[in-house]
Amino acid sequence: MKKIVKVLALAAMLVMGGQAMAQTRGAMFLSGAFPLKDYADFDSFDDFALTSIDLDDDDAGAGIGFNVGLRWYFNVGVKGLGVMLSVDGIYNGPTSDLKTAYRKNEVYYGGQLIGSGLEYKATPKYINVPAMIGANYIFYINPNFGIYVEAGAGGNARFITDMEYVTKTHIGNFEANTKVTNDYDAAFSFAYQVGAGIEVAKNLVVGCSFYDLGKADVKGERVVKGTSNTSTIETWGNVHPMMIMARIGFSF
């Protein structure tokens, strides 16, 4: 955490001193976010990082999402080389396998006399907000076409929306409903990125980036409301967002 604070403090100093640098430009990116490795995997709820009580379970079940990002580039006096500041907002919903598992879990058993069932009211989604500082180098083949590479490091703020489900049981005319909510805490981790792409007419940018947003435990509060009300602090598995960004941007 101390390293992240130092990196972000340095980024703030560079922003405040940006006017002293010779040239400043920015870009806004829209991207597809393609999860990798354990961030994309889902086998069963037994291994699911958001429900498992095993701290080593790390299947996140994240599906293909999208990203909106901003870049600022500050020239440092070397042709083509600049300091890069970036801020991204990345959204990933559940993968198709996880969506299917949610539906299969919503099963009703029994008949008119005795029965029970489960219904999801809300399922978790991932929101990551990384802020990084790094370097960008662009080589112009001609005034209207350039090739760039870049890399950066900083911190990521991870948010997971609530999971909420209701269990229903009836015996004759007696009915009992219980609502369970997993309210996940925000988490912070070290993050880095590397990327490459092209710039056309000094306006359109097309590229691809790899993001590793760091591993963090999944913690939060489990609230049960029904015939008895309880609230407990829980630690589940861990989530490690890694993804490929296919991006298109516009310089300003």
Side-chain angles (χ1 to χ4, degrees):
M1 182 58 68
K2 290 183 179 179
K3 291 182 179 180
I4 295 175
V5 172
K6 290 180 180 179
V7 169
L8 295 180
L10 178 58
M13 292 173 62
L14 286 169
V15 170
M16 290 185 291
Q19 293 182 348
M21 298 185 180
Q23 296 178 356
T24 303
R25 62 187 178 91
M28 182 180 75
F29 286 90
L30 302 175
S31 312
F34 299 87
L36 300 173
K37 302 182 71 174
D38 294 325
Y39 190 48
D41 288 345
F42 176 82
D43 296 319
S44 71
F45 284 114
D46 292 337
D47 302 319
F48 188 36
L50 305 190
T51 58
S52 174
I53 59 174
D54 187 340
L55 302 184
D56 292 328
D57 285 339
D58 51 11
D59 285 358
I64 297 172
F66 62 88
N67 156 252
V68 178
L70 292 173
R71 295 274 199 281
W72 295 271
Y73 306 99
F74 303 95
N75 185 273
V76 293
V78 178
K79 185 177 180 180
L81 181 64
V83 171
M84 176 187 72
L85 300 180
S86 68
V87 177
D88 291 276
I90 308 166
Y91 171 89
N92 295 96
T95 187
S96 58
D97 289 341
L98 180 51
K99 290 179 181 178
T100 300
Y102 284 135
R103 289 193 296 268
K104 288 183 176 179
N105 221 24
E106 291 187 322
V107 177
Y108 185 81
Y109 300 94
Q112 292 183 345
L113 182 61
I114 300 175
S116 64
L118 181 148
E119 180 182 2
Y120 286 97
K121 298 296 184 180
T123 55
K125 284 82 176 176
Y126 300 98
I127 300 171
N128 289 281
V129 185
M132 305 189 205
I133 181 172
N136 169 279
Y137 178 77
I138 185 166
F139 174 75
Y140 286 102
I141 296 174
N142 61 55
N144 291 313
F145 187 84
I147 299 173
Y148 75 85
V149 294
E150 61 187 22
N156 177 58
R158 186 204 70 201
F159 305 92
I160 305 173
T161 64
D162 292 353
M163 172 185 283
E164 183 179 298
Y165 60 88
V166 175
T167 60
K168 302 179 180 180
T169 303
H170 78 268
I171 302 174
N173 292 326
F174 173 77
E175 183 175 302
N177 295 338
T178 300
K179 183 173 77 171
V180 179
T181 303
N182 289 351
D183 184 4
Y184 302 104
D185 293 343
F188 301 89
S189 56
F190 176 77
Y192 70 89
Q193 61 167 305
V194 293
I198 60 172
E199 181 182 275
V200 180
K202 294 188 177 181
N203 183 36
L204 177 65
V205 183
V206 179
C208 183
S209 299
F210 168 74
Y211 276 56
D212 186 331
L213 303 183
K215 180 169 67 175
D217 291 339
V218 179
K219 299 180 179 181
E221 183 180 17
R222 181 180 176 87
V223 179
V224 179
K225 294 183 179 180
T227 54
S228 62
N229 298 325
T230 62
S231 175
T232 57
I233 302 301
E234 301 283 349
T235 299
W236 292 280
N238 63 81
V239 170
H240 189 167
M242 298 175 66
M243 62 196 78
I244 294 291
M245 300 286 193
R247 55 178 68 236
I248 183 171
F250 303 91
S251 297
F252 55 85

